[in-house]
Amino acid sequence: MLSEEIKNAFGNATDLIVRPFIIDNREITLVMSEVMGSSSYVNDFILKKLLDLKFTKEDIIDELLNNIPTNNGKILTTLEEITDYICMGFALILYDNKAIAIEARSTLDRGIGEVSNESTIMGSKDAFNENFNTNVGLIRRRLRTNELYVDGLFVGKSSKTKIGILYMHNIATLKNVNDIKERLKNINVDGIIDSGYLKTYLDTKTNLLFPTITSTERPDLASQALLEGKIVIVTDNSPNVLITPTFFVDYLHTPDDYYGKAINTSFVRIVRFIAFLTAIFIPALYIALTTHNQDILPLPIFLNFASQRESVPFSALIEALFMSISFEILRESDIRKPAALGSSVSILGGLILGDAAVNAGIISPIMIIVISISAISGLAFSSMEMIGALRWWRFIMMILAMFYGLFGIFVGFIILLASLVTTSSLHVPYLAPFSPFIKNEIKDTLIKGESKKIRKRNPLLTKNIIREVKK
Amino acid sequence: MKKIIITGIILLLFLGYAPYQELNDLAVVDFMALDFKDNKYKLYLNIINMDNTLYELEGDSLGEVFFKAKNVNNKKTYYNHLSVTLFSTSILKDKELLTFLKDEFTNIDYVTIGTKDNIEDILDKFHQSSEYESFITKEKEDLGSIINVTFKDLLSDRMDDIKTPLIPLITIKDDVLHSNGGYLFSKDTYLDNNISKASYLISNKITSYSQKVEIDDKYYEVFLSNLKTIINYKDNNLKITIKGDINSPDTDNLEKIKEIVISDLKNDVNSFILVELDKYKSFSNIINYIYLKEKDKPFDKYKDAKKEIVIDLKKKEKSNYD
């Protein structure tokens, strides 16, 4: 019996419903997953119809398929197919060792919520959720064109996660699309639980620290990326979609940038770039100036710093590392702590401990200022991976500054620059449009030109570089 | 392979490890005084970050005394913020002094002054750089008898074939600092305040000063400003023109005051020329002017030239008190 085989395949799982019915003197069995399928939908639209059914033809299966209202019904023949469809939330009607799958999925997502990690002042507030269809729909709602292609595939032996590769057929480079498809097809793991898993397989690993694939929860950002010729990867069960290729300057941009005046955007972007530099270099500069290159410090500042460090028993590097790691612990506990604890951890850590450490003579007040400025600057970026990269580079620079002073920082800067210049994301240079220099793209880097004047796309991403639509 | 490269880079970094120095482990010297007395070198250091304490060290040689001063109170002495040095005239005669100091310190932009007095008498009252700096600034603006001469200036004058370094001198009277002319230490020649002032004027190192003028047993304050010296040398004629503005609160006697000031200035410039020619060493820019143009026995030309001194002072419309 097919129903017995299905039961055995699922190991008599408690969430598997196997319910035989006698309809018009024929035994028909309904099989579905209690958790994946919608009981009310099955009761109201499938069972009601079935119970009233009078069979007139010999081919019962065909008659069943034609009489049950569904837009997605299929006759299944193998046990493997049957188990797959049960897991996807389909209701199965079995008769004579044959099965019909009827879509009866229950809604397991949380609906369209607000953006939580990439918040902006202007622009849309809706965010992707864990539902694949919702996520694709949020993008389709913004790009109502048949040129938006959605290529799907399933990855993961056990998870069978649905992955959608979205791209504008008339803009994106098909070679890149095929490359992505090929990489995804070659993934041979038991499960892909979140889009984050895919990064490892898509990343060309050209840079150890800086992110080369953008992860976003914003449909407007994903839609904008598609129009630029980038490829968006939607993963079922993940509220973040991936965008590739990505440039370094993308991390200095936010969707807000395109909704306001260009002059204000330019200012904010410069501030973000300063934050990038500050996050990496400020503690290192402090260490270099106080341990090697003291002659650069004007005398009043020299004396001020010296007096603040008078009772501190540690070297500047140890002091800076201690503060940086304390900050990282604070940040981590802030993220993980239950919301009910409110801001108690931040207050305890930031104010009470900081003040006590200064009074106890373990840390100098200036070091608290230096590390705070650096850490806060790092938080000007919404990408966790960029924050992580800044953190590593901050530590590298601090160590170089301790050994070599300003010379060390200069060497570190050269290494940083070399690392950025040699990085590529999906065959595209990471530091473009600075290296290689692309004149037209400069208008949308640190300084932003008026949106209406940005008429061309990045030639590294597409051959269809003209944005203007001819009437 | 990657791990090996990374380990190699880290090892290389440690090979070049340079010992660092924390700020609080440094004794910052802002003022230094050097004396040579009873065949001993005496070094006085004001440590600014140790409550402006004056440390005194003694040695048989410059090297020894500076070696002793390497650490003060368990802190490494740090000279990069040294801003004033005071030398006794006895130590300035030491020919190796400039070379030694040039090699010893990377910072050579500190102000140098000398004194004929017992250096300890001055240091009892003044041993902070700010005290000397404010004194020089005030004295320069008020009397024009002293200027900021840095160690760098002394070195460059010494390097010049025909120039001799002039170091300003100070003295202490009734617990107050005063300028005391200048000292040509390579010639062991002292200049008085007026000749020093003439030298600074001709070199355009001062542009204003004030002086007291006595008329009929009464004193009047007079201000000279926007002073500029122009030197011309042509056909064996040397013309020194000093232009500027003159102003005095006593406007009724201004013409008379002006006459006296011009006469004083002419005397000072003449005296200065005489000293310069007598010592056959330039401490102004006149000889440089001739030398650069002629490049051949400049002192002979300077000596034989017909000298004309023109003082052109105009009444200043606006009072100095405005």
Side-chain angles (χ1 to χ4, degrees):
Chain A
M1 278 281 285
L2 184 59
S3 59
E4 286 304 313
E5 279 181 49
I6 296 169
K7 270 186 187 178
N8 289 337
F10 279 94
N12 288 315
T14 51
D15 63 326
L16 187 76
I17 296 170
V18 180
R19 175 83 161 85
F21 293 93
I22 301 295
I23 298 165
D24 202 14
N25 293 323
R26 286 174 177 86
E27 191 182 322
I28 288 170
T29 309
L30 175 84
V31 181
M32 67 179 283
S33 164
E34 194 179 7
V35 290
M36 296 297 289
S38 163
S39 297
S40 58
Y41 180 84
V42 172
N43 290 339
D44 294 347
F45 298 100
I46 301 175
L47 287 182
K48 253 185 191 176
K49 190 78 187 173
L50 277 178
L51 292 171
D52 295 339
L53 203 65
K54 299 285 177 206
F55 297 109
T56 53
K57 293 179 190 170
E58 277 301 303
D59 191 349
I60 301 295
I61 286 291
D62 189 51
E63 198 162 359
L64 280 168
L65 191 61
N66 289 331
N67 280 286
I68 294 167
T70 179
N71 64 341
N72 197 1
K74 193 183 174 190
I75 297 168
L76 309 177
T77 51
T78 65
L79 185 63
E80 198 187 344
E81 263 189 317
I82 287 169
T83 52
D84 280 355
Y85 273 78
I86 292 170
C87 289
M88 282 193 277
F90 278 65
L92 263 61
I93 295 161
L94 311 183
Y95 177 74
D96 196 20
N97 281 338
K98 286 180 184 167
I100 306 169
I102 296 154
E103 190 171 349
R105 278 191 254 237
S106 65
T107 313
L108 291 178
D109 65 65
R110 57 188 160 95
I112 299 170
E114 272 201 29
V115 175
S116 56
N117 299 325
E118 297 169 66
S119 46
T120 55
I121 295 164
M122 292 178 280
S124 62
K125 305 289 179 202
D126 53 350
F128 290 123
N129 65 15
E130 288 78 8
N131 190 306
F132 180 87
N133 290 337
T134 309
N135 292 351
V136 174
L138 285 172
I139 295 173
R140 271 227 187 270
R141 200 164 75 177
R142 288 170 169 83
L143 303 171
R144 298 176 191 201
T145 166
N146 60 324
E147 294 291 350
L148 174 63
Y149 279 30
V150 183
D151 291 354
L153 71 157
F154 292 90
V155 179
K157 202 179 170 192
S158 298
S159 67
K160 295 193 174 65
T161 312
K162 193 174 183 183
I163 312 280
I165 303 162
L166 278 72
Y167 58 96
M168 294 297 286
H169 189 253
N170 58 339
I171 304 171
T173 309
L174 294 179
K175 185 178 157 271
N176 286 346
V177 176
N178 292 333
D179 188 11
I180 294 271
K181 275 187 202 166
E182 207 53 45
R183 284 185 205 197
L184 290 174
K185 272 180 197 165
N186 290 334
I187 295 174
N188 189 18
V189 280
D190 55 349
I192 295 288
I193 306 300
D194 188 84
S195 61
Y197 278 62
L198 292 177
K199 282 187 192 172
T200 337
Y201 298 99
L202 297 173
D203 206 338
T204 42
K205 287 186 182 172
T206 49
N207 199 301
L208 188 66
L209 300 173
F210 281 103
T212 51
I213 296 171
T214 307
S215 178
T216 183
E217 55 173 354
R218 296 190 64 94
D220 53 346
L221 192 69
S223 309
Q224 178 63 37
L226 285 166
L227 287 176
E228 285 170 18
K230 292 178 182 174
I231 299 156
V232 168
I233 298 156
V234 179
T235 311
D236 199 12
N237 302 316
S238 174
N240 293 304
V241 306
L242 305 179
I243 301 171
T244 187
T246 190
F247 300 106
F248 172 75
V249 285
D250 289 343
Y251 292 94
L252 300 175
H253 299 175
T254 68
D256 257 351
D257 295 358
Y258 298 92
Y259 307 145
K261 278 187 177 290
I263 190 159
N264 295 333
T265 301
S266 302
F267 179 79
V268 176
R269 281 183 182 178
I270 290 167
V271 168
R272 270 184 226 129
F273 185 64
I274 293 169
F276 173 82
L277 296 176
T278 310
I280 294 178
F281 293 106
I282 281 285
L285 271 175
Y286 174 77
I287 291 171
L289 293 180
T290 56
T291 57
H292 286 272
N293 307 90
Q294 295 99 340
D295 42 329
I296 293 173
L297 287 174
L299 188 59
I301 295 175
F302 184 112
L303 296 174
N304 186 346
F305 286 4
S307 67
Q308 288 189 41
R309 277 196 52 81
E310 201 55 58
S311 60
V312 179
F314 307 116
S315 67
L317 177 67
I318 300 295
E319 209 187 343
L321 286 175
F322 177 81
M323 271 302 296
S324 300
I325 290 165
S326 303
F327 170 78
E328 294 301 333
I329 293 169
L330 263 176
R331 200 174 60 87
E332 196 59 21
S333 58
D334 219 30
I335 296 168
R336 312 287 165 214
K337 75 173 191 302
L341 283 176
S343 55
S344 52
V345 175
S346 321
I347 294 167
L348 187 76
L351 300 175
I352 301 172
L353 276 181
D355 190 43
V358 170
N359 288 335
I362 299 170
I363 301 291
S364 57
I366 184 69
M367 186 55 90
I368 291 191
I369 295 169
V370 166
I371 297 295
S372 303
I373 290 172
S374 168
I376 291 166
S377 299
L379 299 180
F381 302 91
S382 57
S383 162
M384 289 300 287
E385 281 169 321
M386 180 53 92
I387 294 171
L390 293 178
R391 179 172 51 213
W392 276 113
W393 275 106
R394 185 185 311 145
F395 287 141
I396 292 168
M397 292 296 175
M398 273 158 50
I399 292 167
L400 285 170
M402 192 64 190
F403 288 123
Y404 291 113
L406 287 178
F407 174 72
I409 296 177
F410 183 71
V411 170
F413 177 71
I414 299 286
I415 297 170
L416 170 65
L417 212 59
S419 141
L420 287 172
V421 169
T422 51
T423 298
S424 64
S425 167
L426 199 70
H427 319 299
V428 174
Y430 192 51
L431 215 57
F434 300 113
S435 168
F437 185 73
I438 302 163
K439 195 182 164 193
N440 277 321
E441 280 297 297
I442 290 294
K443 285 180 210 160
D444 192 16
T445 49
L446 276 184
I447 303 292
K448 187 182 170 293
E450 290 291 341
S451 295
K452 64 179 179 185
K453 287 181 183 167
I454 302 170
R455 290 170 183 163
K456 287 181 178 172
R457 295 191 183 93
N458 192 332
L460 293 171
L461 293 172
T462 177
K463 283 180 182 164
N464 179 7
I465 59 164
I466 307 297
R467 290 181 87 104
E468 283 172 314
V469 180
K470 283 178 186 165
K471 285 178 184 172
Chain B
M1 188 62 193
K2 236 180 201 175
K3 281 178 188 169
I4 296 166
I5 294 168
I6 291 167
T7 319
I9 291 169
I10 292 168
L11 280 173
L12 273 174
L13 284 174
F14 279 90
L15 279 175
Y17 171 72
Y20 63 91
Q21 203 74 47
E22 296 287 350
L23 283 185
N24 47 328
D25 293 332
L26 300 173
V28 186
V29 179
D30 74 316
F31 170 80
M32 175 173 89
L34 262 172
D35 193 9
F36 184 70
K37 212 162 136 185
D38 307 328
N39 276 331
K40 292 270 183 196
Y41 288 90
K42 282 192 169 184
L43 175 68
Y44 304 86
L45 300 174
N46 183 58
I47 311 294
I48 196 166
N49 60 336
M50 286 160 71
D51 297 326
N52 279 306
T53 316
L54 187 73
Y55 283 86
E56 184 186 336
L57 300 119
E58 205 177 76
D60 292 328
S61 65
L62 275 172
E64 187 191 343
V65 77
F66 274 99
F67 184 76
K68 279 183 181 171
K70 229 174 177 178
N71 286 291
V72 171
N73 214 5
N74 285 329
K75 291 190 176 196
K76 192 185 171 198
T77 39
Y78 181 76
Y79 295 98
N80 278 8
H81 284 293
L82 178 67
S83 46
V84 177
T85 45
L86 176 65
F87 299 107
S88 68
T89 46
S90 54
I91 201 160
L92 282 169
K93 287 166 191 161
D94 189 331
K95 285 180 181 170
E96 293 307 310
L97 179 72
L98 292 192
T99 317
F100 181 85
L101 291 177
K102 177 174 72 75
D103 296 343
E104 191 71 15
F105 306 124
T106 47
N107 166 29
I108 51 169
D109 241 7
Y110 47 86
V111 173
T112 46
I113 36 182
T115 184
K116 284 193 273 189
D117 298 4
N118 180 7
I119 213 161
E120 279 170 352
D121 294 343
I122 299 178
L123 295 179
D124 278 347
K125 292 287 167 195
F126 306 100
H127 58 81
Q128 289 178 39
S129 59
S130 56
E131 293 166 334
Y132 290 93
E133 281 167 339
S134 54
F135 159 73
I136 292 171
T137 309
K138 194 175 177 303
E139 200 81 345
K140 184 184 169 190
E141 281 171 10
D142 289 354
L143 304 173
S145 55
I146 194 165
I147 55 162
N148 266 325
V149 174
T150 64
F151 188 72
K152 200 177 175 180
D153 298 332
L154 290 186
L155 282 180
S156 66
D157 283 356
R158 200 186 173 191
M159 297 298 283
D160 195 321
D161 290 343
I162 52 166
K163 279 198 100 176
T164 186
L166 172 66
I167 191 163
L169 295 180
I170 58 163
T171 184
I172 189 163
K173 268 181 212 159
D174 304 326
D175 293 346
V176 179
L177 290 174
H178 296 278
S179 54
N180 193 22
Y183 180 50
L184 301 166
F185 52 89
S186 56
K187 286 276 167 187
D188 195 17
T189 304
Y190 295 96
L191 308 177
D192 66 17
N193 269 346
N194 291 338
I195 296 177
S196 300
K197 187 168 75 183
S199 154
Y200 305 146
L201 263 177
I202 284 171
S203 312
N204 283 316
K205 283 176 182 168
I206 54 168
T207 54
S208 63
Y209 67 89
S210 61
Q211 77 172 81
K212 272 184 185 147
V213 174
E214 190 188 351
I215 302 170
D216 303 332
D217 295 333
K218 274 188 179 176
Y219 284 98
Y220 299 95
E221 195 72 17
V222 59
F223 303 100
L224 281 87
S225 55
N226 302 324
L227 295 167
K228 195 181 176 186
T229 304
I230 302 154
I231 300 162
N232 286 306
Y233 176 78
K234 202 176 177 185
D235 303 331
N236 214 26
N237 282 318
L238 177 70
K239 189 179 176 187
I240 300 168
T241 314
I242 299 176
K243 287 182 174 180
D245 297 333
I246 187 166
N247 188 28
S248 172
D250 187 27
T251 46
D252 295 340
N253 287 313
L254 191 60
E255 278 308 313
K256 209 166 183 186
I257 290 169
K258 191 176 157 184
E259 247 175 59
I260 296 167
V261 167
I262 288 173
S263 150
D264 286 352
L265 250 177
K266 275 189 177 172
N267 283 339
D268 291 344
V269 173
N270 265 324
S271 313
F272 149 77
I273 290 171
L274 285 175
V275 176
E276 203 166 56
L277 288 172
D278 179 45
K279 295 295 164 191
Y280 234 65
K281 271 284 182 185
S282 165
F283 44 94
S284 68
N285 63 356
I286 299 175
I287 196 73
N288 271 355
Y289 188 86
I290 298 165
Y291 176 69
L292 290 170
K293 296 243 168 175
E294 304 289 331
K295 289 241 174 197
D296 182 33
K297 292 186 180 176
F299 271 99
D300 290 342
K301 290 186 183 296
Y302 187 14
K303 203 171 184 177
D304 298 338
K306 221 173 131 190
K307 294 166 195 74
E308 185 188 358
I309 300 161
V310 180
I311 312 286
D312 179 14
L313 298 174
K314 288 195 174 94
K315 190 193 164 193
K316 198 183 176 189
E317 292 303 320
K318 226 175 176 186
S319 159
N320 281 52
Y321 297 110
D322 290 342

